[in-house]
Amino acid sequence: MAAIWPKNSWYVAFWSEDIKDRDLHPRRILDEPIVFYRTESGEIVALEDTCPHRLAPLSLGKAKDGDRIACAYHGLEFDRTGTCVFNPHTDHKIPPAAKVRSYQVTEKYSLVWVWMGAGTGDPGEIPDYSCLDDARPEHISTRNYMTIKADYRLIVDNLLDLSHVPFLHAGVLTGTVNDDVNVTQDGDTVTIARWSYDVPVPSLTNMMFRNDGKNVDSWLLMHWRPPSYMILDTGVREPGTPKESGTGYFGLHLLTPESEQSTHYHFGAVRFTVPPRPLEEDLKIRETISVGRKYAFEAQDAPVIEAQQARMNEVGNRRLALLEVDAGAVRVQRVLAKLVAEEQTGAAPERTPAHVR
Ligand code: FES
Ligand SMILES: [Fe+2]
């Protein structure tokens, strides 16, 4: 089957805080089983999760001294390079084939990133999620993770097309069908901007902004960069004033294909231009953002996307009745298809800028 994802890319594997102590953490990424763990000195290692002896998953084993892990089945030990460095059995010989792939891995912005391509990835190409490092803790929502049983491209479509918000997320998230919508493309980066002018203030942003219930201009700017890095810049301002005078949050969406029909989804939100407030109010706002977004994605988006995937499997390819609101999603799928095709034909892909916004 033809690939549906570019391989020459960094993908998010975990939130950093989820790789604790010396536990072994299996995770399938682009349909490759990988085991992640920390060395004794705390660095992350990512190895192919298949023992070369009898193919037992290495993640069933345990961490050993230094940077080693030992297979649970017959005790072969591997170091961070994936080389077998110890055979506990009688002759202690190590066969040349006793080696697994070691993936390049790095921690940045409280996330663990793995390079899935050939050669060496440049960590400088990881998109800018520095707001996760720079913001005060009370301005960062809970770091969340879930899997959705669907092709990651359906989730990209869902996030790009925020015209679904007033339907699927009515009363939970903010959005209207009458927004002023504008799609722009800069290289391989696509932005879909939705603005509403002089409209009633939504309750969450009212609480975040002036708490006076007066009308606002509101915006939803979704930025996408290949393969599946997304940042939503959303907020409100006093009507007619500069955007910088308002407040809002960055909604962070990081999608990593687990397999062709399953996706790891890491998400969070970081407030920007936060007006001074007592800490208790900021903590309350953080709780509201965390709970609302988690509910919207887990209880509202995921079931629809999974049901959509199931129906697509039933009906196969069929011409879709696309709407004007699908323009951005169509562009993004074209860029993705181009990148995947370039990789498969060996054409050098054009590099995209390092910053998603
Ligand atoms: S299967 Fe791993 S040591 Fe035998
Ligand atoms: Fe949604």
Side-chain angles (χ1 to χ4, degrees):
M1 189 178 288
I4 60 172
W5 45 62
K7 287 189 85 162
N8 288 322
S9 184
W10 291 95
Y11 285 93
V12 169
F14 289 92
W15 291 105
S16 281
E17 63 198 21
D18 293 337
I19 310 278
K20 290 197 197 78
D21 307 321
R22 305 232 37 225
D23 295 343
L24 307 187
H25 299 267
R27 184 139 289 179
R28 180 174 290 267
I29 295 178
L30 309 192
D31 230 356
E32 297 178 28
I34 303 176
V35 55
F36 293 80
Y37 64 96
R38 287 189 189 276
T39 65
E40 268 184 342
S41 53
E43 293 144 301
I44 301 251
V45 175
L47 299 181
E48 177 185 355
D49 191 13
T50 306
C51 180
H53 174 226
R54 290 286 191 172
L55 311 187
L58 287 174
S59 53
L60 296 178
K62 60 183 176 200
K64 303 282 279 195
D65 296 345
D67 63 355
R68 294 184 184 189
I69 56 172
C71 181
Y73 206 179
H74 313 93
L76 289 185
E77 292 185 16
F78 300 84
D79 68 10
R80 63 182 306 155
T81 70
T83 306
C84 179
V85 288
F86 180 60
N87 166 5
H89 301 280
T90 320
D91 66 359
H92 300 297
K93 281 196 182 141
I94 296 174
K99 189 157 176 39
V100 294
R101 175 175 173 185
S102 172
Y103 293 79
Q104 186 186 357
V105 67
T106 189
E107 282 184 271
K108 203 167 180 182
Y109 312 134
S110 326
L111 291 155
V112 176
W113 303 80
V114 60
W115 175 256
M116 295 301 292
T120 305
D122 174 5
E125 290 190 357
I126 291 173
D128 182 4
Y129 285 92
S130 56
C131 55
L132 280 162
D133 290 340
D134 301 341
R136 290 166 40 173
E138 63 269 28
H139 298 160
I140 304 178
S141 74
T142 316
R143 295 177 168 90
N144 285 113
Y145 165 79
M146 68 169 156
T147 56
I148 296 184
K149 296 293 175 201
D151 182 328
Y152 77 104
R153 295 174 300 179
L154 292 184
I155 309 168
V156 170
D157 282 349
N158 164 279
L159 289 165
L160 286 167
D161 168 23
L162 295 177
S163 69
H164 76 269
V165 170
F167 300 95
L168 194 54
H169 304 303
V172 178
L173 301 179
T174 304
T176 77
V177 285
N178 296 316
D179 292 344
D180 185 6
V181 185
N182 188 26
V183 179
T184 51
Q185 186 168 352
D186 178 11
D188 285 342
T189 299
V190 174
T191 297
I192 302 178
R194 302 178 71 90
W195 279 88
S196 292
Y197 301 105
D198 203 4
V199 291
V201 64
S203 62
L204 172 62
T205 32
N206 186 41
M207 186 161 60
M208 288 165 58
F209 189 37
R210 295 178 307 198
N211 230 350
D212 60 4
K214 288 191 183 157
N215 275 12
V216 291
D217 293 342
S218 79
W219 68 85
L220 290 159
L221 313 178
M222 182 59 91
H223 304 277
W224 171 87
R225 193 192 130 178
S228 44
Y229 311 130
M230 303 175 87
I231 293 185
L232 173 68
D233 168 351
T234 182
V236 296
R237 67 181 185 193
E238 191 177 326
T241 59
K243 180 168 174 279
E244 296 67 40
S245 66
T247 189
Y249 63 80
F250 295 121
L252 314 175
H253 303 270
L254 294 136
L255 304 171
T256 298
E258 177 179 42
S259 64
E260 294 203 347
Q261 295 202 355
S262 178
T263 302
H264 303 291
Y265 184 9
H266 293 82
F267 59 93
V270 181
R271 294 173 65 193
F272 58 80
T273 332
V274 183
R277 287 268 196 287
L279 177 62
E280 316 80 72
E281 282 186 34
D282 277 337
L283 292 174
K284 196 171 152 210
I285 291 169
R286 181 177 75 175
E287 177 72 4
T288 305
I289 293 175
S290 300
V291 170
R293 283 167 51 84
K294 189 170 189 303
Y295 176 79
F297 305 151
E298 286 183 356
Q300 297 179 322
D301 285 307
V304 168
I305 296 168
E306 290 180 351
Q308 182 193 10
Q309 177 73 71
R311 190 53 47 88
M312 287 171 77
N313 292 344
E314 270 179 60
V315 303
N317 276 339
R318 183 156 108 182
R319 193 174 172 81
L320 303 176
L322 293 177
L323 306 175
E324 193 186 357
V325 294
D326 298 310
V330 168
R331 276 194 202 216
V332 160
Q333 298 301 349
R334 266 194 219 129
V335 174
L336 265 179
K338 179 194 77 170
L339 290 176
V340 171
E342 279 172 350
E343 274 193 15
Q344 292 196 320
T345 58
E350 280 175 32
R351 307 312 300 184
T352 52
H355 297 275
V356 75
R357 59 171 197 278

